[in-house]
Amino acid sequence: MAGASRGAPNIMIAGTPGTGKSTLAKELAQRSGLNYINVSEVAQNADCLDGYDEEHECGILDEDKVIDELEETMSAGGNVVDYHSCEFFPERWFDIVFVLRTDNSILHSRLTERGYSAKKIESNISSEIFQVILDAAKESYKPEIVHELPSDTADQLEQNLDKIAEWIILWKQQH
């Protein structure tokens, strides 16, 4: 069992950019008392970037460096991890993985508001249509720990927070 020796669970919040990962993960961490980890910020602050991808308009993550940087923190438990993908993280790190999904028209509006280029919006919408991140999560972790959550509205955000809070309570009772 992944979290057998930890006092609190590690939770992965993944999804296409614009699905509400950071909003959910930050609020979850605040409400639950767990540690919030934004992998993009960790990568930038700990020099875990290996250049810039012009085509995708983003930094290139040195996955091994990120894993080394987070290993001790993740082993201790009690973390909510926020990153668009999750398949490169060690399976042992996470007790549960939530992949946020958003309707394409809503996602398009959110990415447009962020000032993403048309090409970057199209790439992210395609990723969402073909559920690339959800499929990668299902291939990388035990199916019973991967959960898809709708993330279109503020009401769904609250429902997701409630569901995850209930899960945390159950996890703590069982561990």
Side-chain angles (χ1 to χ4, degrees), residues 103-174:
D103 177 86
N104 295 328
S105 60
I106 294 169
L107 186 59
H108 190 281
S109 295
R110 290 177 184 172
L111 297 178
T112 300
E113 286 172 17
R114 289 184 178 186
Y116 279 26
S117 69
K119 185 176 182 179
K120 191 168 182 174
I121 291 171
E122 182 183 330
S123 174
N124 283 305
I125 297 279
S126 292
S127 174
E128 188 67 2
I129 289 169
F130 294 109
Q131 65 184 37
V132 171
I133 294 164
L134 179 62
D135 288 348
K138 287 179 176 179
E139 290 169 13
S140 302
Y141 301 94
K142 293 177 185 146
E144 62 269 17
I145 75 161
V146 178
H147 302 273
E148 179 179 359
L149 295 176
S151 186
D152 296 333
T153 66
D155 284 347
Q156 287 174 335
L157 171 66
E158 284 301 321
Q159 290 165 7
N160 292 339
L161 286 164
D162 290 344
K163 281 181 197 173
I164 299 170
E166 287 174 27
W167 179 88
I168 292 170
I169 290 166
L170 281 173
W171 188 94
K172 287 181 176 180
Q173 289 171 351
Q174 295 169 354

